[in-house]
Structures are given as structure tokens and as C-alpha cells.
Amino acid sequence: MIKADKITKVFGKNTVLEEISTTVHQGEVVTVIGPSGSGKSTFLRCLNLLEVPTSGEIFMNNNEITSSKVNKLEIRKNIGMVFQHFHLFPHMTVLENVIYAPQKVKGLDKSTAVESAKKLLAKVGLTDKEDSYPNHLSGGQKQRVAIARALAMEPEIMLFDEPTSALDPEMVKEVLDVIKDLAKTGITMVIVTHEMNFAKEVADRVLFLDQGKLVEEGKPTDFFQNPQSSRAKDFLDKVL
Amino acid sequence: MNLDFSQIVPYIPFILEGIGATLKFVSISIVMGFVLGTLLALCKITKLPFLKGFAVFYTSMFRGTPLILQLMIIYFAVPQLTGYDITAFLSAVLAFGLNSAAYISEIIRGGIQAVDRGQTEAAEALGVPYKPMMLNIILPQAFKNILPAMMNEFITLTKESALVSTIGYLDLMRRAQVVGSDIYRSFEPLIFVALIYWVMVYLLTVAGSLVERRLRQSD
């Protein structure tokens, strides 16, 4: 469970997030949508403290993680993140990418790490690529490796920051399919996305952000068919 | 034209020993410069003002004064202050190592800053601590990009090493001068060591391209 309590983020004179409060329950899949610059990514990056909120608190399983006493690295072990631009380690093979953190951070021995990495790579359909370098993979393959890499830490929560926005159209589906499969396993997920059909299909709840504010949230069927706020209506008119 | 290379033949073993003498302190200086330079580069990119200030000041001092002056200060001036009778070898290693660290730190700093910010974020998001993140993720990528600049620095260092002839260290250069004054001929011994320097730098260049090719494996 992760809970944001009135988190605000200010960059210089720009208020990017304004008093956002929401709770993501265990096993819940939440999608975050909204126009560009609405603060969706910043919100997501606050959840694993890649950005530290200017004010407000974040709780994970009822422990405050925004307190200065908390070791950020410890928190992040339990929160996997997938980036828009993958950020795979280019000098390591696919397998090395996946086993790196379990070995270095969790202290697993190599054979255990390799064994579970191979299972994960099979799960994302990349068994034959384990010895390739990231530069030799397509965008969709890179993103699936990135998902396997994050899962290798066995996190409680997975964060996805526009996982398909940097992909060629024909590769979007393969990545979304992996994420959908993952959603069925009961892992908690927060997904920032521009893929509306996907957001509707995969989510238990949708958050709509605009200009740094949480304007509306609700079940996907309610939200997409019958948005309450005029801003959400405008947005959906444009993208659907 | 009055050339007679046969005159230096008896001195060839003496001159060749200079290769070892030169390589010995140059290689130690390179390692020292590299390790210190890496540490200084890390100091420059921290948010800790003291470390950053120190590293910037250090670089400014060693880049802002002539290398030969630094060498003289270490060899002649420091013993006057401390009473410690420093050897020419140690002075050479210190002067070249400390000096080279200043240049290398700038090269490495640039290399680290050129690595995509996303790499740091990906490592942080996985909970990787600072030290392994630097050692296993950021620095290997930085080194790949800066290898040509680094080779340049090593080549410069190898050639500038001839400056130690001014403090009486019997390196290649000094040996050429000794032979020259022995046989009253300058051209032959100087040309001979010039050739040796050129071959050494050439081999260094070849080694550099081999390393570069290895690092490009992942491209």
C-alpha cells in the first residue's frame, strides 16, 4: 500500500504538483492520465523519491518514507520502476542487466540471480536475447528487458512512466501485453500512460491530473463514459 | 654532412636502459594520475562544497603553473623546507602523477557528465548505492567515451617525461645528452632517442585502439 498525503512539488517558481492525495491499495492497478505537463510523471517519480516532494508526506505500508531519516535506497528496493526511455545499462548484456541489482543490492549469489532472471526473461518473451546487448534490441524488446530488470528485485509495487511513449507503434502492443499479464498476477501498479484503451482495460482506478492537480479519480468505466469535471471531458474529447 | 652513427654503437646498451628508466616512472605516474584524477573528478561532481572547492583549486594550481616548475619545487625546494632528501625518481613520479591528475580529472568529469542522467536514475530506482553505481555503471560508460582524450594525456605524459632530465634523472633524454657530451656529437644520439620515443608512443597508440575496440563490443 502506498499513500500520498497532500504532496506538492515546486521547481523554482513552477508548482508542478499541488496537494495530491490518494492511496494505492495492495494489488490495485492505478493508471494516471492527463495532458502533457500535468505533473503525471513528477507524481510517479515522487512515489519512489526520485523527486522529493516540496511538502506533504508519502507513506508505504503506514511508514512515512518522505521523512529525512529514511534511507531512500531501502525504500526503492521495494518499488520497481520502468522508464519511458528504458535506461538499460548499455555496457551489460540483457542477462547482466537483469541480475545486476539482485546481486549487488540484495546480495543474491550469481546462480540464484541467473536462475530467476532466466524465468523473468522467459516471462517477457526474450529467452533468446539474454546474451545480446541493449543496442542490438528493438524498442519493444528493450522495454520488456527493463520490466524484467525491475521485477528481478521482487518489488511490492511497480511504477511505469509512460512505458510505450518512446516506442514505434507496432511495438506498443507487445509491451502492453506484458504489463497486462503482470496486472493479473496481483502486483500493485501505478502506470502513467497516454494509451487510453489500455488505461481503461487494465486499471482498477483512473487518476486524471491537470495542471498539477488531481482533478478526478474513479473506476475506469465511470470515468471514461461519464467524466464529472469539464477538464476531463475536454481531455477525453480530444484523445478518444 | 658529417654523420657517423657507428660512434654511438658502444653507447646503445646505455641508452636502451633509459627506456626502462623512463617507462618505470611514467607508468607509475600514469596509474597515480588516473586514480587521483578519478577521485578528483568525483569530488568535482559532488554537492559537498568543501570537496568541490578543493578539487577545483587543485586543478587550477597544477594547470596554472609550468610542469618543470612543479618538478623543481618538489626536487629542490621541498628538501630545503623539510630536510628530507628526496630522490630524483620519487620527485619525478610525484610531479608527473600530481600534474597529470589535474588534467585527467577534467577529462573524467566531462566523461561522467556526458553519461545519460537516466543511467543514474535507473540505478537509483533499483536501490543501487553510490559506490557500485559509479564503479559498475557510470564510470565504465564514461571511460568508453573519454578513451581517446585519455590516450592523448598518456602520450603527452610519456613525451613530457623528458623534463626529468633537468633534475639529473637518467631517463632516455638525459642519456642522449650524456652520450652527446661524451662523443662531442649531438645529432646521432638525439635522433636515436627521438626514434625510441616515437616507437613508444606508437605502441601506446596501438594499445589504445585495442582497448577501444574491446569497449565498443556492446555497440
Side-chain angles (χ1 to χ4, degrees):
Chain A
M1 193 226 35
I2 195 159
K3 178 180 163 192
D5 189 12
K6 291 192 177 167
I7 54 172
T8 295
K9 179 72 185 177
V10 180
F11 289 115
K13 286 180 182 167
N14 257 345
T15 304
V16 186
L17 289 182
E18 212 175 318
E19 302 207 334
I20 300 216
S21 299
T22 191
T23 304
V24 180
H25 296 282
Q26 189 173 353
E28 196 179 17
V29 177
V30 171
T31 52
V32 185
I33 61 173
S36 302
S38 58
K40 308 181 294 287
S41 290
T42 308
F43 168 68
L44 196 74
R45 291 161 58 85
C46 281
L47 295 181
N48 69 347
L49 303 175
L50 277 184
E51 305 288 355
V52 178
T54 314
S55 68
E57 283 113 45
I58 298 169
F59 298 87
M60 192 169 167
N61 303 331
N62 297 319
N63 300 315
E64 195 201 330
I65 60 172
T66 30
S67 143
S68 56
K69 285 176 224 142
V70 169
N71 181 348
K72 289 180 194 165
L73 296 177
E74 284 299 318
I75 300 300
R76 291 182 188 137
K77 282 185 202 174
N78 276 321
I79 308 179
M81 183 153 192
V82 173
F83 299 87
Q84 180 180 355
H85 295 286
F86 333 124
H87 299 330
L88 293 177
F89 306 133
H91 58 302
M92 297 183 188
T93 63
V94 165
L95 188 68
E96 286 165 350
N97 263 279
V98 181
I99 63 173
Y100 178 75
Q103 272 190 283
K104 283 283 168 186
V105 180
K106 281 182 135 185
L108 291 191
D109 63 78
K110 192 170 179 190
S111 59
T112 317
V114 168
E115 200 183 322
S116 52
K118 286 189 171 180
K119 276 184 199 151
L120 285 169
L121 287 173
K123 204 164 152 186
V124 298
L126 289 171
T127 300
D128 52 331
K129 296 289 181 192
E130 61 180 52
D131 294 322
S132 305
Y133 283 96
N135 286 344
H136 299 152
L137 302 181
S138 71
Q141 290 170 331
K142 281 184 200 169
Q143 195 59 297
R144 286 185 281 151
V145 175
I147 293 171
R149 179 178 69 173
L151 288 174
M153 288 295 287
E154 302 181 314
E156 274 176 56
I157 302 175
M158 282 286 284
L159 308 177
F160 293 85
D161 189 3
E162 302 193 18
T164 59
S165 296
L167 298 178
D168 291 336
E170 75 268 26
M171 290 166 188
V172 170
K173 189 174 175 296
E174 65 186 56
V175 172
L176 293 184
D177 285 346
V178 167
I179 301 175
K180 281 182 209 162
D181 283 344
L182 205 55
K184 289 177 201 145
T185 64
I187 188 170
T188 312
M189 305 208 284
V190 183
I191 308 167
V192 171
T193 184
H194 287 296
E195 300 284 334
M196 292 304 142
N197 288 325
F198 167 72
K200 185 157 55 175
E201 190 183 337
V202 79
D204 297 315
R205 184 154 52 100
V206 180
L207 306 185
F208 174 71
L209 263 65
D210 189 29
Q211 295 179 357
K213 295 194 185 88
L214 178 54
V215 177
E216 194 169 338
E217 62 179 311
K219 286 201 166 117
T221 41
D222 299 341
F223 175 81
F224 282 99
Q225 274 153 26
N226 192 14
Q228 300 300 308
S229 61
S230 60
R231 277 192 279 177
K233 273 179 204 152
D234 277 354
F235 176 73
L236 290 176
D237 278 346
K238 280 179 200 149
V239 296
L240 287 180
Chain B
M1 286 285 269
N2 160 27
L3 280 181
D4 184 3
F5 278 93
S6 67
Q7 292 229 26
I8 63 166
V9 171
Y11 293 95
I12 285 178
F14 173 73
I15 294 178
L16 290 183
E17 272 171 46
I19 298 178
T22 291
L23 284 182
K24 197 162 101 187
F25 91 85
V26 166
S27 53
I28 298 176
S29 301
I30 284 178
V31 172
M32 181 173 156
F34 185 72
V35 173
L36 270 182
T38 308
L39 293 175
L40 282 170
L42 292 176
C43 289
K44 284 177 188 170
I45 57 167
T46 61
K47 293 186 182 96
L48 302 171
F50 175 76
L51 286 179
K52 198 178 198 154
F54 168 76
V56 169
F57 176 71
Y58 179 99
T59 306
S60 157
M61 287 300 293
F62 277 92
R63 283 204 306 191
T65 54
L67 175 54
I68 191 167
L69 180 70
Q70 295 162 18
L71 185 65
M72 298 273 163
I73 288 177
I74 292 174
Y75 187 63
F76 294 118
V78 169
Q80 180 197 331
L81 271 189
T82 61
Y84 174 68
D85 190 13
I86 194 166
T87 62
F89 175 74
L90 187 57
S91 307
V93 167
L94 281 177
F96 282 82
L98 295 175
N99 182 279
S100 164
Y103 287 91
I104 289 179
S105 73
E106 276 300 284
I107 298 174
I108 294 179
R109 181 183 63 87
I112 291 175
Q113 286 174 339
V115 175
D116 181 10
R117 170 95 190 104
Q119 292 291 308
T120 310
E121 289 191 347
E124 284 176 348
L126 287 163
V128 181
Y130 181 81
K131 205 171 141 192
M133 173 180 86
M134 273 297 161
L135 281 178
N136 307 138
I137 294 167
I138 306 300
L139 288 177
Q141 296 183 56
F143 285 138
K144 187 168 119 182
N145 297 332
I146 61 179
L147 198 72
M150 214 62 150
M151 285 316 296
N152 240 337
E153 172 61 20
F154 293 160
I155 288 170
T156 307
L157 190 70
T158 307
K159 291 185 303 175
E160 296 296 299
S161 74
L163 282 179
V164 297
S165 59
T166 59
I167 59 167
Y169 183 73
L170 272 177
D171 72 325
L172 267 177
M173 181 71 205
R174 181 81 195 125
R175 282 167 199 255
Q177 291 171 332
V178 169
V179 172
S181 54
D182 231 32
I183 59 175
Y184 300 106
R185 288 176 165 276
S186 285
F187 194 87
E188 294 87 345
L190 288 178
I191 283 297
F192 185 61
V193 297
L195 191 71
I196 295 176
Y197 275 112
W198 178 75
V199 170
M200 286 195 325
V201 169
Y202 178 75
L203 292 177
L204 202 55
T205 314
V206 171
S209 347
L210 286 177
V211 176
E212 201 166 336
R213 201 181 309 163
R214 232 190 99 77
L215 289 179
R216 301 241 168 257
Q217 206 181 16
S218 61
D219 286 355

